Amino acid sequence: KSYSTDLVDRQLKLVLEAMGEGSSSGNLKRDEYFKEQGYEVLKFSNEEIKDSPRLVVLCTELKVENLQLRRGKA
């Protein structure tokens, strides 16, 4: 299958998504597909990105660090 994402790290198997107003529950099938492929999906609303960019970066960094530790790459 072919799905588009906002950002993907194939090595870490991490998908980052910015969820805009047009985002819907139809993305659940896409999210499930990525999870079945071993990816983790991290989502932020456009409002979160706009209002709290530092928090978004911190959450993303923590997720990356967690994935690296779990996979023995830290």
Side-chain angles (χ1 to χ4, degrees), residues 25-58:
S25 60
N27 292 334
L28 294 176
K29 285 184 181 182
R30 183 196 61 199
D31 294 350
E32 190 60 35
Y33 170 78
F34 282 119
K35 289 176 184 177
E36 288 171 359
Q37 303 304 308
Y39 283 80
E40 293 207 29
V41 180
L42 187 58
K43 297 181 181 187
F44 299 100
S45 70
N46 285 348
E47 187 175 288
E48 289 171 319
I49 294 167
K50 179 183 160 213
D51 294 343
S52 304
R54 288 183 180 171
L55 182 60
V56 169
V57 169
L58 178 61

Side-chain angles (χ1 to χ4, degrees), residues 1-20:
K1 293 187 179 186
S2 178
Y3 289 105
S4 64
T5 64
D6 293 317
L7 185 66
V8 64
D9 184 314
R10 292 187 197 317
Q11 186 175 16
L12 287 174
K13 292 199 149 208
L14 176 63
V15 173
L16 295 176
E17 285 294 315
M19 304 301 294

